[in-house]
């Protein structure tokens, strides 16, 4: 079982719709959860982090965490073509130390006009 | 003012050569990392240093040797380069990234091509 799993996509949504990106993780003791966006040929950039169960909102982005189900998601409201990118879920677990960030393989999002 | 800067951005070299990649961060973070992103875009941690001390050393060939002269710098030296070393290498640091976010800040990456 992979430590962090994401559907590779591509996930296609029309402009203005809500994009829903999902991620599961295997380390039940994981503490912090991150969503990164990576455009082709660029470096990952941090969108949000969440560490408490529930929802966390920042502009058009909503992160949701359910530790009991070991599930974290990212909703993007009013999706724009500029949101087209690969979205990486990442987790800091209990093992390894040093705030080791373990990434999923990413979900490619395409927002269509 | 770049927060995490890597040089060079592109590196093309022949098999068997030795090369280095440099990384510097001006964020005041204590912890720095090297990640490798393969052709399938999977990011995998290689090394981590905290204030010049090696704290994470994943299963990486010993041809790869990190060096941290101070907490703002983390360099990566690769000996006897192989075709399979071709990838994008990202440097990152961990700490406060803005007004409310903790996380990694990545450098722009070094695309290494071994021919």
């Amino acid at each position: 079982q992979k430590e962090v799993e994401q559907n590779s996509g591509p996930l296609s949504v029309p402009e203005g719709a809500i994009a829903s990106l999902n991620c599961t993780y295997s380390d039940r003791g994981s503490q912090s959860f991150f969503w990164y966006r990576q455009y082709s040929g660029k470096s990952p950039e941090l969108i949000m982090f969440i560490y408490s169960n529930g929802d966390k909102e920042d502009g058009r982005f909503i992160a949701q965490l359910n530790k009991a189900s070991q599930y974290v998601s990212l909703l993007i409201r009013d999706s724009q073509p500029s949101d087209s990118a690969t979205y990486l879920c990442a987790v800091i677990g209990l093992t390894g130390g040093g705030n080791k960030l373990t990434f999923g393989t990413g979900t490619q999002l395409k927002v269509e006009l | 003012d770049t927060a995490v800067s890597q040089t060079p951005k592109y590196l093309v070299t022949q098999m068997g050569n030795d090369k280095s990649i440099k990384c510097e961060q001006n964020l005041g973070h204590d912890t720095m990392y090297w990640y490798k992103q393969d052709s399938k875009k999977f990011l995998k941690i290689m090394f981590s240093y905290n204030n010049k001390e090696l704290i994470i050393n994943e299963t990486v060939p010993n041809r790869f040797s990190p060096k941290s002269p101070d907490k703002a710098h983390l360099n990566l030296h690769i000996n006897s380069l192989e075709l399979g070393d071709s990838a994008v290498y990202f440097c990152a640091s961990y700490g406060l990234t803005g007004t409310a976010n903790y996380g990694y800040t990545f450098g722009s990456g070094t695309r290494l091509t071994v021919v």
Side-chain angles (χ1 to χ4, degrees):
Chain A
Q1 182 187 8
K2 291 181 181 176
E3 293 180 71
V4 180
E5 294 208 52
Q6 295 180 255
N7 187 321
S8 61
L11 172 66
S12 293
V13 300
E15 184 178 4
I18 295 175
S20 178
L21 303 159
N22 304 315
C23 172
T24 58
Y25 58 94
S26 61
D27 183 351
R28 185 169 284 279
S30 295
Q31 301 294 309
S32 304
F33 308 86
F34 301 81
W35 283 100
Y36 280 81
R37 177 176 62 198
Q38 187 175 25
Y39 292 110
S40 181
K42 301 295 185 183
S43 58
E45 54 179 327
L46 179 64
I47 299 174
M48 294 185 71
F49 86 101
I50 186 169
Y51 56 86
S52 298
N53 276 328
D55 295 0
K56 179 180 178 182
E57 190 170 327
D58 184 359
R60 296 187 296 113
F61 299 100
I62 302 171
Q64 299 174 316
L65 175 61
N66 184 326
K67 289 186 178 180
S69 300
Q70 295 174 241
Y71 177 91
V72 58
S73 64
L74 179 70
L75 302 178
I76 306 175
R77 294 187 296 206
D78 188 24
S79 296
Q80 301 297 308
S82 59
D83 294 326
S84 298
T86 296
Y87 288 80
L88 301 165
C89 173
V91 173
I92 292 180
L94 274 184
T95 57
N99 293 312
K100 173 183 169 183
L101 198 61
T102 299
F103 284 86
T105 51
T107 298
Q108 186 183 4
L109 174 66
K110 293 184 177 180
V111 180
E112 297 166 335
L113 295 170
Chain B
D1 191 21
T2 305
V4 180
S5 59
Q6 288 179 236
T7 54
K9 191 169 176 63
Y10 299 96
L11 189 51
V12 180
T13 188
Q14 291 186 326
M15 278 194 303
N17 284 349
D18 303 339
K19 290 293 178 186
S20 292
I21 307 171
K22 294 186 176 182
C23 180
E24 176 182 2
Q25 56 100 0
N26 62 8
L27 296 167
H29 294 167
D30 286 337
T31 311
M32 296 183 71
Y33 307 81
W34 278 110
Y35 275 79
K36 178 180 180 180
Q37 189 168 46
D38 60 23
S39 56
K40 295 183 179 179
K41 308 301 183 188
F42 181 57
L43 268 166
K44 186 168 172 56
I45 192 168
M46 301 173 69
F47 302 103
S48 175
Y49 271 75
N50 182 279
N51 202 8
K52 301 190 297 178
E53 180 184 349
L54 180 66
I55 55 172
I56 294 175
N57 186 351
E58 294 290 293
T59 308
V60 177
N62 57 16
R63 298 181 295 104
F64 291 78
S65 54
K67 282 190 172 49
S68 181
D70 55 61
K71 76 172 192 177
H73 295 84
L74 179 61
N75 304 322
L76 183 66
H77 188 77
I78 315 170
N79 289 326
S80 303
L81 278 155
E82 300 177 357
L83 292 176
D85 297 332
S86 297
V88 180
Y89 292 84
F90 285 102
C91 175
S93 67
Y94 178 82
L96 189 63
T97 61
T99 57
N101 274 335
Y102 270 91
Y104 281 38
T105 301
F106 284 86
S108 57
T110 296
R111 182 173 294 277
L112 171 65
T113 303
V114 182
V115 297

